[in-house]
Amino acid sequence: MASVKKSEIPEIAEFMTEFWNFVKKYWIVEESDEYWAQLIAEADEIAKRHPDEFCKGQILKYVDYLDAKLKKK
């Protein structure tokens, strides 16, 4: 199995660091308009900085995950 080095995919490596911070910030789901407004605004900013389809997909799946997590409460 082949693998890559961080230096070979700098855009994705940068995204992953930013995405991980985003995940930690919103991990505890809140049922408030302020929480969701901030989450969506920040997700949109990250997606604008990282327009790669992989990056957008990760962001969308995480938001979907949080929504499902909220509905289970």
Side-chain angles (χ1 to χ4, degrees):
M1 177 187 297
S3 65
V4 299
K5 294 179 180 150
K6 187 176 178 179
S7 61
E8 295 173 315
I9 53 168
E11 305 86 12
I12 300 299
E14 181 182 329
F15 164 75
M16 292 306 288
T17 299
E18 191 172 349
F19 181 66
W20 178 238
N21 289 327
F22 176 70
V23 167
K24 293 186 295 183
K25 183 175 181 179
Y26 293 101
W27 186 257
I28 299 173
V29 182
E30 298 175 18
E31 194 170 350
S32 73
D33 291 340
E34 182 181 341
Y35 170 90
W36 287 96
Q38 287 178 353
L39 179 137
I40 296 303
E42 191 167 339
D44 188 51
E45 287 300 314
I46 295 170
K48 285 177 183 173
R49 283 192 295 278
H50 304 282
D52 183 89
E53 287 302 313
F54 169 80
C55 301
K56 288 186 200 179
Q58 295 302 303
I59 294 165
L60 288 173
K61 287 304 285 182
Y62 182 61
V63 172
D64 286 347
Y65 167 79
L66 294 174
D67 183 51
K69 194 172 167 181
L70 177 64
K71 288 176 182 174
K72 287 183 181 180
K73 279 186 166 185

